Amino acid sequence: MVESVLALLSGGPRLVDPATPVVRADDLGLARGESVFETMRVAGGRPAFLSLHLDRLARSAERVAIALPGGWEGLARFAVDAYAEQDGVLRLTCTKGAPGAEPVGFALVTPVPPTTLHARQHGVSAVTLQLGVPAALRADAPWLLGGVKSTSYAVNMASLRAAEDQGAQDAIWISSDGVVLEAPTATVAWVADGRLVTPPAEQVGTLPGTTAAVALALSSVPVETRLGTVDELRGADEVMLLSSVRGVAPVIRLDGVDLGIGPVTAALRAAYEEAVLHG
Ligand SMILES: Cc1ncc(COP(=O)(O)O)c(C=O)c1O
């Protein structure tokens, strides 16, 4: 079995046993969900697109009022260097800490789950689910923390369970006014009229994806960042989910309709996999 690696930011970076408890019971990250995190691919023994993730970590921390300590790049590289495998998942977490105490930072490197590899290669089935808010709301109400990668992911996980209850592997959130938003752990993109379309994160309050930023620049067809309706999504030629560890995952079935793996998705997946090794 591949050994996971846990490295702490404070007093280090330093390695500890991966089973070590690292947060206090009164840490606000635990008690109130006030923690921020980043998950990225380890490829060829390096953390892929680390600077994009570190920039987003800093932006998330600011929105959750966490005084982010320094040293994250060193921590990330230190943890990945201590990991025996070339490929894995690196998760960086910073909790707000206990009241009056310092934030707590750590890096965990683990193997890529087999289900993730399967989804990348063979695709996923997905269903659309209501998020229950109008598309513009999260951008207009910053306290809803749209676009922030905090550990308050209980709604995201519940959405995945709701999708599973419907026999699917993933979900795509739709606003109450019928606009496509994102998936619980991925950016959504689709192919319509020969163009690759993805929703504008800042307009709909979704997480600005690092994978989308890298992959869409490699697209073989023109890219459009604009709002799209659920009807447009259901009528799309191809649909894909973009996220750091899965990469470009084809949506092979949407709301019960088979889509398969289209040529634009396949080409983008190949280009992204190449870029991951150098990014
Ligand atoms: C809600 C949400 N949207 C989008 C993404 C995709 O972000 P990235 O491509 O940086 O992994 C994620 C990643 O976990 C996510 O949780």
Side-chain angles (χ1 to χ4, degrees):
M1 211 184 77
V2 178
E3 287 292 319
S4 299
V5 165
L6 176 61
L8 306 186
L9 186 64
S10 83
R14 61 194 167 99
L15 294 178
V16 292
D17 185 299
T20 308
V22 291
V23 295
R24 283 169 43 164
D26 56 350
D27 191 304
L28 291 163
L30 210 55
R32 302 289 195 202
E34 292 188 305
S35 308
V36 292
F37 74 107
E38 282 297 322
T39 307
M40 72 204 80
R41 187 103 67 95
V42 174
R46 294 167 53 244
F49 310 117
L50 178 60
S51 64
L52 295 180
H53 288 280
L54 293 179
D55 289 350
R56 193 171 60 188
L57 185 73
R59 288 198 302 273
S60 295
E62 204 177 326
R63 295 276 304 280
V64 187
I66 292 175
L68 195 71
W72 287 91
E73 180 173 355
L75 176 72
R77 296 197 190 282
F78 175 78
V80 169
D81 284 349
Y83 184 66
E85 300 292 315
Q86 292 288 295
D87 298 311
V89 180
L90 168 64
R91 189 179 167 102
L92 303 175
T93 306
C94 188
T95 76
K96 194 174 254 187
E102 295 295 310
V104 178
F106 52 91
L108 180 67
V109 194
T110 51
V112 183
T115 48
T116 302
L117 295 172
H118 188 274
R120 191 189 299 158
Q121 199 181 348
H122 302 291
V124 292
S125 61
V127 287
T128 52
L129 292 181
Q130 265 298 334
L131 193 61
V133 295
L137 182 71
R138 290 192 296 174
D140 289 346
W143 55 90
L144 294 181
L145 297 182
V148 172
K149 205 163 166 67
S150 80
T151 55
S152 301
Y153 260 43
V155 167
N156 305 47
M157 296 301 106
S159 300
L160 291 180
R161 286 195 298 277
E164 275 165 27
D165 288 346
Q166 296 184 36
Q169 291 144 336
D170 217 315
I172 295 176
W173 283 324
I174 307 298
S175 69
S176 57
D177 43 356
V179 170
V180 180
L181 298 173
E182 64 183 336
T185 64
T187 304
V188 179
W190 63 92
V191 179
D193 297 327
R195 288 167 183 268
L196 185 55
V197 184
T198 194
E202 66 292 345
Q203 211 176 320
V204 293
T206 53
L207 190 76
T210 59
T211 313
V214 173
L216 298 185
L218 304 169
S219 172
S220 52
V221 298
V223 174
E224 269 181 22
T225 304
R226 62 164 171 80
L227 300 180
T229 64
V230 62
D231 289 340
E232 179 182 342
L233 183 75
R234 290 193 183 123
D237 297 322
E238 302 179 31
V239 179
M240 64 195 84
L241 299 182
L242 310 168
S243 56
S244 297
V245 184
R246 266 190 315 197
V248 177
V251 174
I252 52 171
R253 194 172 170 82
L254 179 67
D255 287 340
V257 176
D258 284 328
L259 284 167
I261 303 179
V264 176
T265 307
L268 201 62
R269 180 174 59 182
Y272 182 76
E273 288 305 309
E274 185 63 28
V276 157
L277 289 171
H278 309 291

